Amino acid sequence: MLRSPRTLLSVTSAALLVAGLSACGGTTKDSNTNTGSGTQASAAADPNAALKEGLKIAFLPKQLNNPYSDVETGGGKVAVDELKGEYKLVGPNDASASSQVSYINTLIQQQQDVIVVAANDPNAVCPSLNQARQAKIKVITFDSDASKDCRDAFINQATTEGIGQSLAKMALEQAGSDGGEIAVLSATPNATNQNSWIAVMKEELKKPEYAKLKLVKVAYGNDDDQKSFQEAQGLLQSYPNLKVIVAPTTVGIAAGARYISSSSYKGKVAVTGLGLPNQMREYVKDGTVTKFALWNPADIGYLAAYAGAAMASGQITGAEGEKFKAGKLGDYTIGKDGEIVLGPPTEFTKENIDQFNF
């Protein structure tokens, strides 16, 4: 479930959102008003400020009981414990666009200091997130961004361009010199990270070196294992000459590999994309999957917690160029639009997969 990079609110939607929020109240942590909008804040950063202890930091992933999200939020808990804060984990059991709103509203009432959220939809969560910001709660998005106008910073797994280019490159490698038909097995239709990566991948496929590849379908498994399995099956029924399934979601790649591994397509149809080594190990070793990629999701949650703590402590505001230290991960610099990039993904093959345990 990826599971990183983003659709923005239109000018009209943003204007309506601001107008609507002006009439909204909320529980506030102090009497000041947060006028920030992603890269701006009402107070100057103090890089020498001490990190506060006892911060209440809540994590809201796309959905609970998802292996990828479990690793991400686990990394967040490690960081919050290091920071001597109060860790909280809440979330829906499905990844629908509006499923996170009620949890955000509850976290506002609980007067959390930081909300760390992986948005299921870039816009559906915005009214509630801006209410949180009005209540002086710092909002950090991770893995899947919301509109930049309703959060303070975004923890990106890697650059959008880097991930999209990597997906295209792995598809070409798997298809071979003759090329052929490829399909994408994504998460939900509104997932900002998935859509951004797929958009870059489509642009890459227009380049001369990808001329022999034909993208025939983008399917959606909704980050549900059984739905993703059925979509993989449906792709092969609709496109019997398919050469590669590219799944930029850990749920989708594992489900697609499971289907291919037990079908007559094994050895004929390749599966690649973004996956967890522990989920994919058996499919790599049995030859179903040759190569896939990912970053360490625990580090995303860890970095998000430290960014939230630094912001709640006044060390950073989310402005471009500000720096902060993220525990064991070292120093980070905030980029354009409040984006903080973890780093490049790692490619996993039969030769190195046993070196990783997550």
Side-chain angles (χ1 to χ4, degrees), residues 154-221:
F154 167 52
I155 308 301
N156 201 350
Q157 306 95 326
T159 65
T160 301
E161 291 74 17
I163 297 172
Q165 291 165 358
S166 177
L167 293 172
K169 180 175 72 74
M170 289 190 294
L172 182 62
E173 290 173 350
Q174 303 305 302
S177 58
D178 292 334
E181 296 179 346
I182 66 173
V184 171
L185 177 56
S186 186
T188 64
N190 295 319
T192 52
N193 54 351
Q194 305 281 312
N195 290 340
S196 297
W197 301 333
I198 294 167
V200 172
M201 179 181 171
K202 287 179 177 178
E203 287 301 309
E204 284 293 296
L205 295 178
K206 295 177 182 179
K207 294 180 177 179
E209 58 264 42
Y210 295 101
K212 292 184 179 180
L213 293 185
K214 181 182 180 182
L215 177 61
V216 294
K217 175 79 173 180
V218 177
Y220 300 97

Side-chain angles (χ1 to χ4, degrees), residues 34-82:
N34 186 344
T35 59
S37 58
T39 60
Q40 298 178 353
S42 56
D46 179 5
N48 297 316
L51 283 174
K52 295 179 180 178
E53 294 186 4
L55 290 171
K56 296 165 66 176
I57 303 178
F59 276 75
L60 175 55
K62 288 182 178 180
Q63 64 185 130
L64 298 180
N65 302 315
N66 179 302
Y68 179 85
S69 292
D70 291 346
V71 177
E72 276 188 323
T73 55
K77 185 179 187 308
V78 170
V80 175
D81 288 345
E82 289 179 2

Side-chain angles (χ1 to χ4, degrees), residues 3-343:
R3 3 193 47 236
S4 73
R6 312 292 190 230
T7 302
L8 305 180
L9 281 171
S10 66
V11 173
T12 301
S13 298
L16 291 172
L17 178 59
V18 171
L21 285 173
S22 66
C24 295
T27 304
T28 56
K29 299 178 69 60
D30 57 45
S31 59
N32 295 326
T33 300
N34 186 344
T35 59
S37 58
T39 60
Q40 298 178 353
S42 56
D46 179 5
N48 297 316
L51 283 174
K52 295 179 180 178
E53 294 186 4
L55 290 171
K56 296 165 66 176
I57 303 178
F59 276 75
L60 175 55
K62 288 182 178 180
Q63 64 185 130
L64 298 180
N65 302 315
N66 179 302
Y68 179 85
S69 292
D70 291 346
V71 177
E72 276 188 323
T73 55
K77 185 179 187 308
V78 170
V80 175
D81 288 345
E82 289 179 2
L83 292 161
K84 299 181 180 178
E86 297 181 25
Y87 170 84
K88 190 178 189 68
L89 174 64
V90 297
N93 289 315
D94 66 273
S96 64
S98 61
S99 60
Q100 297 172 311
V101 172
S102 64
Y103 293 96
I104 297 169
N105 294 337
T106 298
L107 293 172
I108 294 170
Q109 295 302 316
Q110 294 173 346
Q111 299 186 39
Q112 298 291 317
D113 293 295
V114 181
I115 295 175
V116 182
V117 56
N120 280 326
D121 182 279
N123 301 325
V125 293
C126 271
S128 292
L129 290 181
N130 271 327
Q131 283 184 302
R133 296 171 76 210
Q134 287 180 338
K136 302 302 292 179
I137 298 171
K138 303 304 181 184
V139 174
I140 308 295
T141 53
F142 74 127
D143 184 65
S144 184
D145 200 9
S147 166
K148 68 176 182 179
D149 298 309
C150 58
R151 47 73 169 164
D152 296 298
F154 167 52
I155 308 301
N156 201 350
Q157 306 95 326
T159 65
T160 301
E161 291 74 17
I163 297 172
Q165 291 165 358
S166 177
L167 293 172
K169 180 175 72 74
M170 289 190 294
L172 182 62
E173 290 173 350
Q174 303 305 302
S177 58
D178 292 334
E181 296 179 346
I182 66 173
V184 171
L185 177 56
S186 186
T188 64
N190 295 319
T192 52
N193 54 351
Q194 305 281 312
N195 290 340
S196 297
W197 301 333
I198 294 167
V200 172
M201 179 181 171
K202 287 179 177 178
E203 287 301 309
E204 284 293 296
L205 295 178
K206 295 177 182 179
K207 294 180 177 179
E209 58 264 42
Y210 295 101
K212 292 184 179 180
L213 293 185
K214 181 182 180 182
L215 177 61
V216 294
K217 175 79 173 180
V218 177
Y220 300 97
N222 294 336
D223 261 350
D224 177 82
D225 176 73
Q226 190 56 37
K227 170 71 171 169
S228 297
F229 184 91
Q230 292 169 350
E231 288 294 329
Q233 186 178 35
L235 285 172
L236 271 304
Q237 291 173 347
S238 299
Y239 305 97
N241 295 320
L242 198 66
K243 295 288 290 292
V244 186
I245 294 176
V246 182
T249 158
T250 59
V251 175
I253 192 174
R258 190 171 80 253
Y259 171 70
I260 296 297
S261 69
S262 59
S263 75
S264 60
Y265 296 103
K266 182 177 178 180
K268 301 175 183 176
V269 178
V271 180
T272 191
L274 307 176
L276 291 163
N278 287 351
Q279 280 189 299
M280 299 302 296
R281 187 170 282 105
E282 65 176 293
Y283 306 118
V284 170
K285 293 193 172 184
D286 73 7
T288 302
V289 175
T290 302
K291 178 186 290 186
F292 67 100
L294 198 65
W295 42 86
N296 187 340
D299 288 345
I300 300 172
Y302 185 95
L303 178 56
Y306 266 93
M311 190 166 290
S313 301
Q315 290 183 352
I316 58 174
T317 66
E320 184 175 359
E322 292 177 345
K323 301 178 184 296
F324 69 101
K325 186 173 181 61
K328 66 183 181 183
L329 297 180
D331 297 326
Y332 280 84
T333 301
I334 301 176
K336 184 180 178 181
D337 294 329
E339 183 179 38
I340 303 165
V341 179
L342 176 65

